Amino acid sequence: MTKRTFNVWRGDGGAGALAAYEVEVNEGEVVLDVLHRLQATQAPDLAVRWNCKAGKCGSCSMEINGRPRLACMARMSTFAPDEAVTVTPMRTFPVIRDLVCDVSYNYQKAREIPSFTPPPDAKPGDFRMRQADVQRMQEFRKCIECFLCQNVCHVIRDHEENKESFSGPRFLMRVAELEMHPEDTADRRAIAQDEFGLGYCNITKCCTEVCPENIKITDNALIPLKERVADRKYDPLVWLGSRIGLRKGADTPLPPNTRTTTATPEQ
Amino acid sequence: MTSTLPPPERAGLARARISARTLRTDRWWVAPLLTTLGLTAFLVYGLVRALQQDHYWAADHGYLTPFYSPCIAAQCAPEAAHFGRLPFEFPWWLPYAAISLPFLLLFRFTCYYYRKAYYRSIWQAPTACAVREPHKRYTGESRFPMIGQNLHRYFFYIALVISVVNTYDAVLALFHGEQGGFGIGLGNLVLLGNVVLLWCYTLSCHSCRHVFGGRVNSFGRSPVRYWLWTQITRLNTRHMTFAWITLATLVITDLYVALVASGTVSDPRIFN
């Protein structure tokens, strides 16, 4: 057992500040264990969102020594023995209290994506997917919606005004997953660029770096989606086909009643 | 109809106001610094050599540096101009390979790996993950001129052709033995190694992955394209590695040809 210094964000977003604590740490513990000890011994009103303690529910997302991580997966043994540990809420989202954020931005962006659209004449039991097709999308289904990728993405982290026009890597990955589905008939490429802000992504791969499920978000979802958008919007032959009425299919619009004006930036 | 509108955001909530640019305690600035130094070194070397207009062709062994391929200026040595020469001389500021170098530069400029590299290290958007960027506004690649990054695939097509030209140069150099005919020297191995790695870089491109298979929705119905996609994906996971290795091999190859062409070193022969 050793004593460690923990600097923890206390209060709400506007008036909060870091508070220092000396707290016991035992061998094999993770940051979430130490936060629970803080609650039990020194700060009973400390707000922390958590659930599974196994890196599978995506609840305990926060920033530990400046890096977006799951508190339940951040082992104390990875810090230097005399290193203070600073724990702050995710910077991209408004703080409800202490380490708990309001992540409703993400739910709003999820609603805006046109859902899976099978062929109109498909009947239950008709789909036969090959393993190769399942595998390609299975990677994206590993997402636990911890929103660490949304948090680290500089497009909205450093520019809150972009929240309205940018859906973030998690939901662009969802669009890519649907676009790659062999039985999906919707065409979300135009709205991926125009409504979900794919063009804001400059593929700096921070989303991939922080993903606790090791999903290759940039290489396997965002870049393939950018290429598909280039097929649709920046290919001269497709453009010509659209102009003279040869292009088949139509762009799928945003679902109705899904978009509201988001809150104005506080910062 | 049930509304799908989300619940209103909680009023009055604000983000955590943390004035520090980052709370990261690791050396996050090392990678962008090394990237800047690496890219700058290559660009300076490449510019100097492209404008030197000399020591690009080792006549005894048929070595042509990739920085001068294809050599199309009227000043090019006749044997070095594998695809003919233009009828006019190039001024000092125009590289002899003016037909290929701009497209190779654009291929790398719009490459998905290099974009990450220079957006982070030079443009600082962002310098590192979870480090606040210095710009007041950000529109990324959604507007002119950066929307032009979407043209990457067209530069990839041109790079494919130029890779064939580089391969032709390397193969042609094999038939410049000391006694005439087939021969192998250290320079041949350097040229061939460079060409192989250039192919690895070009074929590992994300646009290549998309064009050859990624654009297909059903791999089950396109087994050949699935196989191609699988092989390109294996290369694609090493795209960054090939991006850096080929910068190094281009410099090494050019430097070796320049040293042999200027008579500074002699080419060790392995066969003939």
Side-chain angles (χ1 to χ4, degrees):
Chain A
M1 184 199 76
T2 53
K3 284 266 188 183
R4 301 292 293 263
T5 303
F6 261 64
N7 300 311
V8 183
W9 183 268
R10 299 302 310 273
D12 62 17
L18 287 171
Y21 299 95
E22 292 292 318
V23 60
E24 284 179 14
V25 174
N26 298 314
E27 192 177 350
E29 286 186 331
V30 295
V31 168
L32 186 59
D33 292 326
V34 182
L35 292 175
H36 282 159
R37 181 165 298 116
L38 263 180
Q39 279 182 324
T41 58
Q42 302 179 49
D45 59 341
L46 175 66
V48 186
R49 186 182 278 145
W50 66 282
N51 190 13
C52 75
K53 295 181 82 174
K56 289 295 168 194
C57 72
S59 301
C60 60
S61 303
M62 54 189 74
E63 300 196 6
I64 300 165
N65 279 359
R67 306 192 74 143
R69 302 178 71 177
L70 295 179
C72 70
M73 291 286 108
R75 301 188 76 87
M76 287 303 299
S77 57
T78 58
F79 302 107
D82 55 346
E83 187 180 359
V85 179
T86 303
V87 186
T88 54
M90 293 189 281
R91 279 210 204 184
T92 301
F93 307 116
V95 177
I96 297 173
R97 209 181 88 183
D98 300 339
L99 301 175
V100 177
C101 290
D102 174 9
V103 292
S104 53
Y105 158 81
N106 300 289
Y107 305 132
Q108 179 175 336
K109 293 299 176 185
R111 284 185 190 94
E112 293 176 5
I113 301 172
S115 56
F116 174 63
T117 312
D121 54 347
K123 295 182 176 57
D126 271 0
F127 291 169
R128 292 291 181 271
M129 276 178 78
R130 306 286 178 96
Q131 189 59 30
D133 295 321
V134 174
Q135 275 174 339
R136 179 152 65 153
M137 287 175 290
Q138 198 69 25
E139 181 185 12
F140 309 140
R141 305 292 289 189
K142 290 195 300 180
C143 177
I144 57 174
E145 299 213 319
C146 61
F147 303 130
L148 286 177
C149 58
Q150 302 283 90
N151 171 53
V152 80
C153 183
H154 69 111
V155 177
I156 45 178
R157 181 186 177 92
D158 297 336
H159 303 278
E160 201 174 5
E161 70 278 6
N162 286 340
K163 271 188 168 179
E164 199 158 334
S165 42
F166 184 65
S167 291
R170 193 275 166 268
F171 298 105
L172 290 169
M173 180 172 79
R174 172 68 177 151
V175 174
E177 179 194 336
L178 289 165
E179 281 298 295
M180 290 173 189
H181 197 294
E183 298 292 346
D184 182 77
T185 57
D187 186 347
R188 304 167 189 78
R189 293 176 298 177
I191 54 171
Q193 184 80 351
D194 301 335
E195 304 292 344
F196 303 146
L198 181 64
Y200 284 79
C201 169
N202 66 346
I203 51 171
T204 41
K205 292 200 176 181
C206 288
C207 49
T208 305
E209 275 187 30
V210 301
C211 179
E213 287 291 313
N214 297 314
I215 303 170
K216 304 291 182 203
I217 302 172
T218 319
D219 283 315
N220 291 344
L222 302 187
I223 293 175
L225 189 59
K226 273 182 176 269
E227 287 295 319
R228 283 170 185 252
V229 167
D231 283 343
R232 165 67 189 87
K233 290 181 70 85
Y234 307 111
D235 185 318
L237 288 178
V238 173
W239 176 82
L240 188 65
S242 302
R243 301 292 288 183
I244 60 178
L246 285 181
R247 184 173 166 262
K248 293 175 184 170
D251 297 317
T252 303
L254 277 183
N257 298 326
T258 54
R259 178 157 283 186
T260 53
T261 306
T262 48
T264 51
E266 305 94 354
Q267 291 180 332
Chain B
M1 179 179 155
T2 308
S3 170
T4 53
L5 283 173
E9 259 192 300
R10 295 168 197 236
L13 293 184
R15 300 212 256 179
R17 293 191 199 280
I18 299 170
S19 56
R21 186 182 180 200
T22 182
L23 294 174
R24 281 179 66 165
T25 53
D26 58 330
R27 297 193 302 160
W28 52 266
W29 45 270
V30 172
L33 178 66
L34 292 177
T35 305
T36 305
L37 291 175
L39 294 177
T40 307
F42 177 80
L43 286 174
V44 169
Y45 178 87
L47 188 68
V48 168
R49 278 293 289 147
L51 298 182
Q52 191 180 15
Q53 300 188 343
D54 200 4
H55 306 316
Y56 58 91
W57 168 247
D60 291 346
H61 309 295
Y63 299 153
L64 176 65
T65 166
F67 284 6
Y68 285 74
S69 174
C71 205
I72 53 162
Q75 303 102 305
C76 285
E79 316 84 54
H82 299 151
F83 298 92
R85 292 180 291 177
L86 293 172
F88 52 89
E89 295 205 339
F90 280 15
W92 66 267
W93 47 265
L94 194 60
Y96 286 179
I99 197 172
S100 62
L101 290 189
F103 294 109
L104 287 178
L105 199 62
L106 283 168
F107 177 52
R108 292 202 181 230
F109 183 82
T110 57
C111 160
Y112 285 100
Y113 167 67
Y114 285 111
R115 274 146 80 175
K116 173 201 166 188
Y118 64 73
Y119 280 138
R120 279 201 189 190
S121 60
I122 295 169
W123 192 243
Q124 308 216 345
T127 320
C129 302
V131 176
R132 186 184 297 147
E133 61 171 80
H135 309 288
K136 285 191 173 168
R137 284 181 68 247
Y138 174 85
T139 54
E141 299 176 350
S142 61
R143 295 184 187 175
F144 182 82
M146 300 317 282
I147 202 167
Q149 303 279 28
N150 288 298
L151 301 175
H152 181 53
R153 60 181 56 182
Y154 304 107
F155 301 125
F156 160 70
Y157 298 142
I158 297 171
L160 273 183
V161 175
I162 297 170
S163 294
V164 172
V165 170
N166 288 333
T167 309
Y168 181 73
D169 294 339
V171 170
L172 218 56
L174 289 169
F175 298 93
H176 283 75
E178 302 245 300
Q179 314 297 325
F182 184 78
I184 298 180
L186 180 59
N188 292 107
L189 299 184
V190 172
L191 284 177
L192 287 171
N194 177 54
V195 158
V196 168
L197 289 163
L198 282 180
W199 274 111
C200 287
Y201 170 69
T202 308
L203 293 177
S204 64
C205 161
H206 290 83
S207 285
C208 175
R209 186 181 181 222
H210 173 76
V211 168
F212 281 98
R215 60 181 304 174
V216 173
N217 279 353
S218 175
F219 284 149
R221 291 179 209 130
S222 313
V224 175
R225 300 191 78 169
Y226 175 55
W227 184 85
L228 285 170
W229 180 83
T230 311
Q231 303 309 316
I232 294 169
T233 298
R234 288 170 67 182
L235 282 175
N236 180 256
T237 54
R238 296 167 182 82
H239 195 50
M240 179 184 82
T241 311
F242 289 130
W244 282 108
I245 286 178
T246 49
L247 285 193
T249 58
L250 279 167
V251 169
I252 290 168
T253 308
D254 177 76
L255 192 60
Y256 187 82
V257 173
L259 290 173
V260 174
S262 62
T264 311
V265 298
S266 59
D267 182 48
R269 303 303 293 176
I270 299 164
F271 173 73
N272 190 17

